[in-house]
Amino acid sequence: MEQQTNYKTVVFGGGCFWCVESCFNMLKGVVSAVSGYSGGTTENPTYEEVCTGTTNHAEVVKITYDPSQISYSQLMEVFFFLHDPTQLNRQGEDVGTQYRSVIFYQSPEELEEALEAISVSKNSGRWQGDYVTELAPFSVFYPAETYHQGYYHVNPNTPYCSAVVGPKIQKFKTYFGEKNYLKEQG
């Protein structure tokens, strides 16, 4: 098996991880996107605990990517397309600190790049209002339960997926397909 040492990771939250994970797994250069939790104080939290809002964790996605195929700034472009960074502790009808907009940076360079991505997104005019995206140093990532991984792919017809995830994925595919960011369908 060929060892890849040039892969990097990024961890961020932009609302429900089902939406975010599904889209990122479609991008060229993304090796994996894994749903999970980060930013809180509870070790090995469960979904039920995170949903109470008492763990301080956010629903996040940990993305492993090949920087020779997709850049951090391109990942940030997708991140700011997929969620509204002006909504505090919510995305649409999903309300709570676990749905906050957050970028967990892993180096001073990533922090600088995240600040630049926020500036680019603000200047795009896509979102109106003050950005509330939290920038926090990364400490630990806890993978979500197995049934959350690839949730939309397995459950596209559930009411939430049909009403929320599916339409978001279609907008994503149209926009980023035209930019040639998507993996070949096969």
Side-chain angles (χ1 to χ4, degrees), residues 63-124:
I63 297 162
T64 301
Y65 68 101
D66 182 345
S68 71
Q69 294 185 39
I70 191 165
S71 68
Y72 184 85
S73 64
Q74 288 172 307
L75 294 171
M76 289 292 103
E77 177 186 4
V78 173
F79 173 68
F80 284 113
F81 178 88
L82 290 177
H83 82 292
D84 183 345
T86 68
Q87 292 189 338
L88 182 62
N89 297 329
R90 73 178 301 145
Q91 285 298 302
E93 299 302 313
D94 295 329
V95 178
T97 57
Q98 69 270 27
Y99 299 114
R100 67 189 180 271
S101 175
V102 58
I103 300 169
F104 292 100
Y105 60 89
Q106 299 178 54
S107 69
E109 294 78 22
E110 271 192 10
L111 173 58
E112 190 174 306
E113 289 182 78
L115 289 166
E116 176 63 23
I118 290 170
S119 177
V120 167
S121 182
K122 283 181 181 179
N123 291 333
S124 77

Side-chain angles (χ1 to χ4, degrees), residues 54-70:
T54 60
T55 67
N56 296 319
H57 284 292
E59 287 193 14
V60 299
V61 176
K62 180 180 181 181
I63 297 162
T64 301
Y65 68 101
D66 182 345
S68 71
Q69 294 185 39
I70 191 165

Side-chain angles (χ1 to χ4, degrees), residues 1-7 31 66 68-69:
M1 183 174 191
E2 185 178 323
Q3 184 178 5
Q4 294 289 337
T5 58
N6 60 335
Y7 291 165
V31 177
D66 182 345
S68 71
Q69 294 185 39

